[in-house]
Amino acid sequence: MKNKKYSIAIHGGAGTLVKGLMTAELEAAYKAALENALNAGYTVLGTGGTALDAVEVAVKLLEDTPLFNAGKGSVFTAEGTHEMDASIMDGKSLKAGAVSLITGIKNPVALARDIMDNSYHVFLAGEGAMAFAKSNGYEILDPTYFYDEVRYQQWQGIKDSDSFQLDHSVKKDGKFGTVGAVACDQNGNTAAATSTGGMTNKKWGRVGDSPMIGAGTYANNKTCAVSCTGSGEFFIRGVVGYDVSCLMEYKGWSLQAAAEEVINHRILKIGGDGGLIAVDAQGNIAMPFNTEGMYGGFRTSSGEKLIAIYK
């Protein structure tokens, strides 16, 4: 059943840098990083690879740039450390892997994939997740790898207070968000992956929606694959990824209608802001957000391509 329309979408976080603070150079850098990740994932799909491999490749590249709050660009916690979360899900088998509260791992999404493929579990966290990583040959990187001056200064501004910053605080002078990817391959299989460094100055081992299957990440060939970004507490309470899928499965809604209902009505109603990217098994894409912008892009086998930051 090859040669269906295949497609991929990625995001680097919703709630972008306020337009007045965005320089031309910074905007060009963000767009180049997004394009690089998008094209890498698309190449996997174009050569007959799986949606699962495509989303992992794309997210790894986003984790490797300090521009985004994931992997190398992860923000500082209240203790001055980096705690990272990630998840990945296969829409064909409904298998998933997730990891939370890990440090020193270059590509958290790869570890989530290993949990899915090489353990009986879905979700590992903290010390146990680190032990699993070590037993699977992961190198534990020195904190200097994750040090970024912009992130550090952002943390300095609030570190002794009880405040913490989400992706979209006006105060910050850099963009901080989740990264994610969704894809549909030539066989009509879907997958989603999400990775994040969380919130600046977060305390008590706070976990957002990114590693939670059904909230920040969800994939099911019957409906869609979803990766979310925004105020995690609200996305957890709204079970956003699964909610989009449910509207499609039980109400027969289109991908676009379901995604827009959840982001522009349901999440707003409970006070949350952010966005999501989603793809269905026909390769259709939806990328709604209710913030000023969302770093994102998509590419399809029918030749459509977009890299955008603002509405």
Side-chain angles (χ1 to χ4, degrees):
M1 223 174 97
K2 287 258 182 191
N3 298 326
K4 289 183 68 155
K5 178 177 163 188
Y6 56 91
S7 57
I8 182 168
I10 63 169
H11 71 74
T16 51
L17 204 51
V18 178
K19 220 166 188 173
L21 294 175
M22 176 67 86
T23 64
E25 296 79 31
L26 206 49
E27 188 162 342
Y30 279 121
K31 286 185 171 173
L34 289 166
E35 186 152 25
N36 182 39
L38 188 64
N39 289 343
Y42 184 79
T43 299
V44 171
L45 299 174
T47 50
T50 65
L52 208 52
D53 285 343
V55 296
E56 184 183 358
V57 162
V59 169
K60 273 183 178 171
L61 285 170
L62 294 170
E63 288 175 336
D64 289 345
T65 166
L67 289 171
F68 303 106
N69 176 17
K72 187 170 176 58
S74 294
V75 296
F76 286 84
T77 66
E79 278 74 50
T81 59
H82 305 280
E83 289 177 346
M84 298 173 287
D85 306 331
S87 61
I88 191 166
M89 186 165 183
D90 176 11
K92 181 184 180 183
S93 64
L94 299 188
K95 286 178 76 176
V99 67
S100 185
L101 304 176
I102 56 166
T103 56
I105 301 292
K106 182 173 187 251
N107 293 115
V109 73
L111 184 55
R113 174 82 186 262
D114 270 338
I115 291 167
M116 180 177 87
D117 290 343
N118 302 314
S119 82
Y120 293 107
H121 307 301
V122 170
F123 201 156
L124 301 181
E127 288 176 21
M130 293 301 293
F132 177 83
K134 287 172 191 165
S135 73
N136 279 268
Y138 279 76
E139 184 188 354
I140 308 305
L141 299 176
D142 188 80
T144 53
Y145 171 80
F146 301 92
Y147 182 89
D148 179 76
E149 185 61 27
V150 175
R151 296 278 188 267
Y152 184 74
Q153 293 305 331
Q154 183 205 19
W155 175 53
Q156 292 301 301
I158 58 169
K159 73 171 187 175
D160 294 320
S161 70
D162 280 332
S163 62
F164 47 80
Q165 285 182 358
L166 285 168
D167 302 354
H168 30 68
S169 311
V170 174
K171 191 176 159 192
K172 44 167 205 281
D173 47 9
K175 165 67 190 73
F176 307 91
T178 315
V179 303
V182 294
C184 171
D185 62 31
Q186 294 186 30
N187 291 314
N189 292 319
T190 63
T194 313
S195 180
T196 188
M199 298 190 309
T200 293
N201 209 42
K202 66 179 179 179
K203 299 179 179 179
W204 309 301
R206 178 263 184 189
V207 179
D209 64 307
S210 298
M212 294 191 191
I213 301 304
T217 303
Y218 188 70
N220 186 335
N221 282 359
K222 280 203 298 193
T223 52
C224 59
V226 182
S227 173
C228 299
T229 169
S231 39
E233 278 67 14
F234 297 95
F235 280 69
I236 294 169
R237 286 156 53 189
V239 202
V240 168
Y242 189 60
D243 203 19
V244 175
S245 172
C246 284
L247 287 170
M248 294 176 69
E249 183 173 1
Y250 301 125
K251 283 197 165 186
W253 287 17
S254 70
L255 178 73
Q256 190 69 38
E260 285 189 8
E261 164 67 19
V262 173
I263 290 300
N264 294 325
H265 298 291
R266 296 185 178 209
I267 274 293
L268 278 179
K269 205 180 261 181
I270 59 171
D273 56 355
L276 62 80
I277 54 172
V279 64
D280 64 19
Q282 284 71 52
N284 299 308
I285 298 239
M287 301 178 67
F289 54 91
N290 59 36
T291 47
E292 185 175 353
M294 178 171 75
Y295 293 87
F298 71 87
R299 192 171 172 189
T300 74
S301 54
S302 49
E304 299 166 286
K305 186 176 180 182
L306 174 76
I307 303 274
I309 296 178
Y310 299 102
K311 280 193 170 136

